[in-house]
Amino acid sequence: MLGLVSIFIIFGIVLTTWGIYRMKTDDGIFGNNQKSKNIFNLFLHGQASGIGQFLSGIACIIIGIVALLIG
């Protein structure tokens, strides 16, 4: 159980750092600044955008910690 939870937490950390990198480097079709480009990419691409990966990584970390506490 502990091995699976730790893999889930590590996967969440990887997703979070990848999301931060994508938010800093991705270009968007519309938007004046990087924040508006990232928000537009989230609506257009969903999980494949930097914000989507960042939020999914945070969710993986939280779920892994909760699973560790429950189990």
Side-chain angles (χ1 to χ4, degrees):
M1 173 81 177
L2 183 61
L4 187 62
V5 170
S6 62
I7 290 172
F8 206 70
I9 292 173
I10 291 170
F11 182 67
I13 292 170
V14 169
L15 270 177
T16 303
T17 54
W18 188 12
I20 291 170
Y21 171 75
R22 294 277 311 259
M23 283 190 291
K24 291 182 179 181
T25 60
D26 279 356
D27 278 340
I29 298 171
F30 300 108
N32 297 333
N33 55 16
Q34 193 64 33
K35 181 179 178 182
S36 61
K37 289 178 184 180
N38 285 329
I39 291 172
F40 180 76
N41 282 342
L42 175 66
F43 289 126
L44 186 64
H45 299 293
Q47 168 58 31
S49 70
I51 295 176
Q53 290 173 356
F54 177 75
L55 294 176
S56 296
I58 296 294
C60 281
I61 293 170
I62 291 172
I63 291 170
I65 291 172
V66 169
L68 185 64
L69 294 175
I70 290 175

